[in-house]
């Protein structure tokens, strides 16, 4: 034998022992590949798995011995070990996993192993020293994070990892829960094939667009939060298990995409009876109450909410366990104010105008002050009902007479003198006159006064626009700018 050959043989020996290629006995042909009692037993895993972060999968232990079962496995067995039947191709050298029990890292990491008494190729993932028992196991959460080896090989999803039970589709894991003596090994199939569902908000131009409208980052965040919240609430009500919460995937100029995962198609399907109503509700967050017109900024756009699988074009989505399409073609609004998108419903913030418009003398003999009092009240519950600051007041006003507005005089409650600020106008065509910044607290706003100083050559009715005479329409903003309740304020001569 040449030295080269003996070296090669020695090397093979080392590699062989590292990978433990010794023969599998083939004594047990089905998982869990050993002599033990698979049922009845005290423990099982919840039928669905939850993924908290990508690559981490959490199983929940249930202590639920069948009624009347008096055997050792039902009444005394502890819970020492979890085994999962896996695809042998996932057991590549250097691959690893880590585990936690109730958020505490396990002392011993999960091991990829050959099933010693199984058929050639049968492979298991083994997590031992669980240290659970009949009084501690119920509700325990075992999370496993799968990692590739240095070369990026290995299985990182349970769908790739698990060898499904005979006849079951991919996405099912066979599990077994062992006691210290390896006598009991109850187990059950756990579904790991999640249902990815995405909600898309899209804007399509359907007529002449004079001002292109884009979703803003704030608007995307607000809508995505509404989807996440509604999905959570509705899923809790329908017992549908979400394995990863809904969150924003992308926010482009005219499309917002929000995705999440249900634990399985069956779980997601539990919302099928509700998803149309949910889609209408999300649509109304963009377009406003569907019985009235859309905000002016959306005129000539069609707004669509689509629910379906993961894709990029909402018109051609892969199907999902939930599907819905709802849209509204926005007509030009006959009441074209305000020009921004915000909730104009009266009463939704703590601030409202109080009483008619009053008149005072201005700083100059040629000017008059038109004064609006503000008061606070108990708002309709909603996102702006907890506002504590009155940020600004905006009026629907005629840009043609902008030079005749000399400024605003402000007197919050508690102030001993007037504060005078200049008038601010919105962009050309917005016909928006702004008293800003106010930055009044609730106490300052309650009884506070905002006065518009206007040259006497212009009547208030020439300055204030809108369908009703002697009326100034005013939006009261809190700093979030998502709510701008719109009020008519009256002037009686
Ligand atoms: C299993 O593999 C061993 C060697 O790796 C071999 O000797 C044995 O015949 C194989 N058994 C079966 C059933 O294929
Ligand atoms: C998902 O959202 C719900 C409700 O907002 C929250 O209670 C839960 O902790 C979230 N789950 C994860 C995995 O982040
Ligand atoms: C094991 O994984 C490989 C690679 O992903 C796949 O081709 C094979 O079908 C899987 N085997 C089983 C039994 O699922
Ligand atoms: C279960 O384990 C806990 C903590 O390890 C221990 O305090 C308790 O006595 C055990 N209960 C039973 C029934 O063995
Ligand atoms: C909407 O489209 C109509 C007809 O194409 C056009 O006259 C109108 O100016 C458009 N409105 C806006 C706000 O772009
Ligand atoms: C909307 O986004 C497009 C593309 O990014 C950009 O060209 C356009 O100016 C934006 N319009 C507005 C009103 O922000
Ligand atoms: C949800 O599950 C709980 C407990 O399993 C049950 O009491 C309730 O009736 C279920 N609700 C629905 C809507 O299925
Ligand atoms: C405006 O806010 C109120 C109170 O939160 C809410 O009931 C209403 O649906 C909202 N309207 C729109 C168009 O978002
Ligand atoms: C979802 O779709 C996007 C775009 O089509 C793609 O980049 C991404 O990989 C997909 N994600 C999953 C989990 O399929
Ligand atoms: C601010 O305006 C009020 C009311 O018009 C006026 O009495 C006051 O003198 C002004 N203060 C200053 C500093 O201009
Ligand atoms: C708003 O007023 C508060 C005090 O009430 C002050 O701390 C804050 O700096 C003011 N913010 C602005 C933008 O003026």
């Amino acid at each position: 034998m040449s030295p080269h050959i003996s070296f090669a043989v020695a090397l093979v020996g080392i590699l062989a022992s590292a990978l433990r290629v010794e023969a599998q006995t083939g004594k047990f042909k089905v998982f869990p590949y050993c002599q033990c009692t698979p049922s009845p037993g005290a423990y099982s895993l919840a039928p669905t798995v939850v993924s908290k972060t990508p690559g981490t999968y959490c199983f929940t232990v249930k202590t639920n011995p069948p009624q009347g079962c008096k055997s050792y496995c039902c009444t005394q067995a502890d819970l020492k070990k979890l085994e999962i039947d896996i695809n042998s191709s996932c057991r590549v050298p250097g691959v690893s996993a880590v585990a936690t029990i109730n958020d505490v890292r396990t002392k011993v990491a999960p091991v990829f192993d050959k099933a010693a008494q199984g058929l050639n190729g049968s492979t298991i993932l083994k997590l031992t020293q669980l240290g659970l028992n009949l009084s501690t196991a119920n509700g325990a959460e075992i999370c496993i994070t799968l990692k590739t080896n240095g070369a990026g090989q290995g299985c990182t999803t349970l769908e790739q990892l698990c060898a499904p039970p005979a006849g079951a589709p991919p996405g099912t894991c066979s599990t077994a829960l062992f006691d210290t003596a390896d006598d009991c090994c109850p187990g059950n199939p756990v579904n790991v094939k999640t249902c990815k569902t995405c909600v898309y908000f899209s804007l399509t131009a359907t007529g002449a667009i004079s001002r292109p409208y884009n979703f803003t980052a704030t608007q995307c965040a607000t809508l995505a939060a509404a989807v996440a919240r509604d999905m959570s609430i509705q899923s809790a009500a329908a017992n549908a298990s979400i394995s990863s919460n809904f969150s924003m995937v992308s926010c482009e100029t005219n499309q917002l995409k929000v995705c999440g995962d249900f634990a399985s198609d069956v779980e997601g399907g539990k919302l099928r009876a509700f998803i149309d109503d949910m889609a209408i509700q999300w649509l109304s967050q963009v377009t406003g109450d569907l019985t009235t017109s859309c905000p002016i900024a959306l005129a000539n756009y069609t707004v669509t909410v689509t629910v379906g699988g993961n894709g990029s074009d909402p018109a051609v989505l892969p199907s999902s366990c939930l599907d819905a399409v709802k849209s509204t073609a926005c007509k030009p609004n006959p009441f074209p104010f305000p020009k921004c998108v915000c909730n104009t419903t009266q009463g939704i913030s703590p601030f409202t105008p109080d009483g008619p418009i009053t008149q005072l003398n201005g700083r100059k003999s040629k000017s008059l002050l038109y004064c609006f009092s503000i008061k606070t009240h108990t708002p309709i519950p909603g996102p702006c009902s907890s506002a504590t600051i009155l940020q600004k007041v905006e009026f629907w006003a005629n840009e043609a007479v902008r030079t005749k507005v000399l400024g605003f005089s402000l007197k919050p409650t508690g102030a001993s003198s007037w504060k005078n600020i200049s008038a601010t106008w919105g962009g050309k065509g917005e016909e928006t006159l702004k008293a800003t910044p106010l930055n009044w607290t609730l106490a300052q706003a309650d009884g506070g006064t905002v006065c518009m100083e206007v040259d006497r050559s212009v009547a208030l009715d020439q300055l204030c626009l809108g369908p009703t005479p002697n009326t100034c329409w005013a939006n009261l903003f809190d700093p979030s700018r998502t709510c701008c309740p719109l009020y008519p304020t009256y002037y009686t001569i």
Side-chain angles (χ1 to χ4, degrees), residues 201 220-232 278 281-282 285:
F201 292 80
C220 285
T222 307
L223 292 169
V227 169
R229 185 193 62 227
D230 293 352
M231 284 290 196
S232 271
M278 294 169 84
Q281 166 59 29
W282 296 326
Q285 304 236 341

Side-chain angles (χ1 to χ4, degrees), residues 343-365:
N343 189 334
T344 55
T345 308
Q346 293 181 2
I348 58 174
S349 84
F351 310 102
T352 71
D354 184 25
I357 300 170
T358 55
Q359 188 183 307
L360 295 174
N361 286 326
R363 284 174 289 179
K364 299 177 177 153
S365 59

Side-chain angles (χ1 to χ4, degrees), residues 310-373:
N310 181 41
S312 46
D313 179 357
V316 284
L317 292 179
S319 72
S320 173
C321 52
L322 288 176
D323 296 287
V325 181
K326 298 288 163 201
S327 68
T328 299
C330 289
K331 302 275 176 297
N333 189 327
F335 192 90
F337 192 77
K339 302 294 195 268
C340 59
V341 178
C342 53
N343 189 334
T344 55
T345 308
Q346 293 181 2
I348 58 174
S349 84
F351 310 102
T352 71
D354 184 25
I357 300 170
T358 55
Q359 188 183 307
L360 295 174
N361 286 326
R363 284 174 289 179
K364 299 177 177 153
S365 59
K366 63 164 189 168
S367 65
L368 279 174
L369 292 178
Y370 295 102
C371 297
F372 306 81
S373 297

Side-chain angles (χ1 to χ4, degrees), residues 21-24 119-120:
V21 293
E22 63 269 16
Q24 293 173 282
L119 290 173
N120 283 352

Side-chain angles (χ1 to χ4, degrees), residues 211-216 252-254 301:
R211 293 157 173 271
Y213 182 79
N214 295 334
F215 285 130
T216 62
E252 280 146 21
T253 55
N254 49 19
Y301 278 101

